[in-house]
Amino acid sequence: MSARLRFAPSPTGPLHIGGVRTALYNYLLAKKLGGEFILRIEDTDQNRYVEGAEDYIQEALAWVGINFDESPKLGGEHAPYKQSERKAIYAEYAQQLIDSGKAYYAFDTTDELDALRERLIAEKVDNPSYNSVTRMQMKNSLTLSADEVEKRRANGESCVIRLKVPIKEEVRFKDMIRDWVVVHSSTIDDKVLLKADGMPTYHLANIVDDHLMGITHVIRGEEWLPSAPLHILLYRAFGWEHPEFAHLPLLLKPEGSGKLSKRDGLLGDFPIFPLQWTDPESGDVARGFREDGYLPQAMVNFLAFLGWNPGTEQELFTMEELIESFSIERVNGSGARFDIQKAQWYNQQYLRALPDEELVELAKANAETEITDEFAASLVKLLKDRVTFPKEFITEAPYLFEAPTKYEEAIAAKQWNDQAKTAMPLIIEALQSVEDFNSQQIHDAIFENLTAAEIKPGKVMQALRLAVSGQGRGADLMLTLEILGKTEVISRIEKALELL
Ligand code: GLU
């Protein structure tokens, strides 16, 4: 049987970065095993449906290069499965459980359910729920006569279908990450499978689809671990074999303690969503990794390492290499720290590795005013090894765009001394003599002139930098002079001599 894995998000808001990691692990294992990766939108809960979330999910996955196989629309556009389009299927399977006596109809009203809860709480029951014990005190097809049930159903009375959880049964399964998980069925309540409006709950739709779609491995977030025993019971009720399960550890805050939450992303220090998201109701904007200037290759590499490691020293992996190296055995069982600095490091590595033409395009795209290819190429040449994000091609060296109007005071006090003042006219003279104004020629001319006047060039270079950039530090100085051009450099030095 070939491997089939799926990512099954609910479109209840923007996809959290942890969701992208879940999708990635499913994708990697599917491809590693030579199988398929399916995308299924679990959109049966109309109350939680958020406009735009579904498009967001697809766009985010496409951005990082997680492409899904298969499409329910034969011959049509490539689209994910959507549970809202499969409603009839779930009702049919719920009926199957009714027919086999594994599920039952329940007619209890909201008031009656509330009353049950209150009574159980008053009686100090450990786990107040609608379960194998309490169901016998409620209005359902186990307590009402067959005629009564028939009559109520014929009258169109509101009714749900609940799973008849066995009274005493051990539920055990082997999680690929956590090993054996054992739960007693008495702790599980009779979950609603089909709601009064005919819509399935998450549990029913999820299990029916995983079965019908031939899913072999389910990799999902730890928050679903408590639902897994119920899912095992559902597979048993249907008489189906269950897929293998792997519940991924939580993502922790960068500090290393506490769960990474949506709020962390809204506080604004760093993104936790793959793409920028504008909340359709509040209009609030949450930043995205893409808009912040992260490259998708860096994201994939960073996410792969959030809880997994290859067991070697290698840190940079293409998607192909990840597919080859990935295994669930090497997924860590404890929480993974969301180390945003590591994400930045990856971005720097991947940015540096891009061909210069692409960097030129990125620099141009980030400039506020239009810049020429030639100027953009200069920025790239000068700053390539210093930037983490493409926008820094523009922000890193503001003095390339405008002559300084201020000079860093501490540097000026220390470096703009008598020797520097003597050196500047010599530097100007040297610059004037340079015909081919490139960094090597500039360097040679300046050094020659200063050395002849018995000034150690090293002693006045920071002053020169200060004169042309206003700063004490920055990118390669000779290259900076080359980019600025002879006339501009000389005029800046003259201005510094006047002002400082
Ligand atoms: N729809 C669920 C979610 O939003 C799917 C959980 C699962 O993978 O089974 O995460």
Side-chain angles (χ1 to χ4, degrees), residues 36-55:
E36 274 94 48
F37 170 72
I38 289 165
L39 177 61
R40 184 173 77 220
I41 306 292
E42 302 210 322
D43 58 349
T44 55
D45 191 346
Q46 296 300 324
N47 298 325
R48 295 182 62 219
Y49 188 85
V50 172
E51 205 54 50
E54 192 184 321
D55 288 343

Side-chain angles (χ1 to χ4, degrees), residues 17 24 38 48 85 96 116 163 166 233 238 290 298 314 320 338 340 371 400 403 427 442 471:
I17 200 70
L24 178 65
I38 289 165
R48 295 182 62 219
E85 291 167 356
Q96 193 176 311
L116 168 70
L163 179 68
L233 284 178
F238 280 116
R290 181 178 66 182
Q314 188 182 344
E320 269 58 50
F338 192 74
I340 193 70
I371 57 172
L400 290 180
I427 293 178
I442 298 169
Q471 305 180 358

Side-chain angles (χ1 to χ4, degrees), residues 3-280:
R4 288 171 62 81
L5 287 88
R6 50 56 166 192
F7 178 50
S10 303
T12 54
L15 186 63
H16 183 283
I17 200 70
V20 185
R21 179 188 65 162
T22 302
L24 178 65
Y25 284 14
N26 277 290
Y27 175 81
L28 293 177
L29 189 61
K31 297 296 144 186
K32 160 122 198 176
L33 299 174
E36 274 94 48
F37 170 72
I38 289 165
L39 177 61
R40 184 173 77 220
I41 306 292
E42 302 210 322
D43 58 349
T44 55
D45 191 346
Q46 296 300 324
N47 298 325
R48 295 182 62 219
Y49 188 85
V50 172
E51 205 54 50
E54 192 184 321
D55 288 343
Y56 181 99
I57 292 166
Q58 288 205 53
E59 203 181 326
L61 295 182
W63 178 58
V64 290
I66 301 177
N67 301 315
F68 59 91
D69 302 306
E70 230 166 79
S71 185
K73 300 194 176 116
L74 285 179
E77 59 163 327
H78 188 60
Y81 288 95
K82 280 176 74 164
Q83 289 190 325
S84 57
E85 291 167 356
R86 299 164 58 80
K87 208 175 138 183
I89 299 176
Y90 311 118
E92 200 181 294
Y93 280 94
Q95 187 59 47
Q96 193 176 311
L97 291 184
I98 289 273
D99 295 344
S100 62
K102 308 281 188 190
Y104 59 91
Y105 294 114
F107 300 93
D108 318 276
T109 62
T110 317
D111 285 348
E112 286 163 344
L113 293 171
D114 288 346
L116 168 70
R117 244 190 106 69
E118 274 164 35
R119 183 166 58 76
L120 295 173
I121 290 172
E123 287 169 6
K124 300 211 173 0
V125 170
D126 272 351
N127 173 21
S129 58
Y130 201 121
N131 59 21
S132 54
V133 177
T134 56
R135 67 183 171 225
M136 297 320 287
Q137 302 145 15
M138 303 302 284
K139 288 204 183 68
N140 53 49
S141 56
L142 303 172
T143 56
L144 302 170
S145 71
D147 282 352
E148 175 72 15
V149 170
E150 219 20 73
K151 207 167 80 203
R152 285 177 182 242
R153 294 205 4 98
N155 287 342
E157 207 171 289
S158 172
C159 112
V160 301
I161 293 181
R162 285 181 183 271
L163 179 68
K164 191 176 165 198
V165 171
I167 299 185
K168 282 185 190 154
E169 223 170 79
E170 192 178 69
V171 188
R172 54 159 60 224
F173 69 95
K174 194 170 179 182
D175 186 277
M176 289 188 279
I177 298 171
R178 284 148 213 274
D179 215 41
W180 286 102
V181 175
V182 186
V183 170
H184 203 272
S185 69
S186 60
T187 62
I188 302 173
D189 55 332
D190 286 1
K191 281 271 178 324
V192 172
L193 302 178
L194 203 71
K195 295 184 274 191
D197 62 3
M199 277 299 224
T201 55
Y202 153 72
H203 303 291
L204 177 68
N206 186 269
I207 266 55
V208 167
D209 277 347
D210 279 349
H211 174 73
L212 295 180
M213 295 177 187
I215 300 303
T216 53
H217 305 74
V218 169
I219 305 177
R220 60 186 176 189
E222 183 176 89
E223 66 274 26
W224 297 103
L225 188 60
S227 300
L230 172 78
H231 295 174
I232 301 286
L233 284 178
L234 265 166
Y235 280 104
R236 276 190 203 163
F238 280 116
W240 299 333
E241 245 176 71
H242 65 78
E244 297 227 43
F245 288 102
H247 289 90
L248 297 176
L250 290 176
L251 295 185
L252 307 174
K253 292 182 197 296
E255 306 84 80
S257 62
K259 178 177 170 224
L260 183 74
S261 70
K262 292 205 174 177
R263 272 201 51 225
D264 292 313
L266 295 171
L267 292 178
D269 288 345
F270 54 86
I272 62 149
F273 298 113
L275 318 176
Q276 185 173 297
W277 166 260
T278 308
D279 190 272

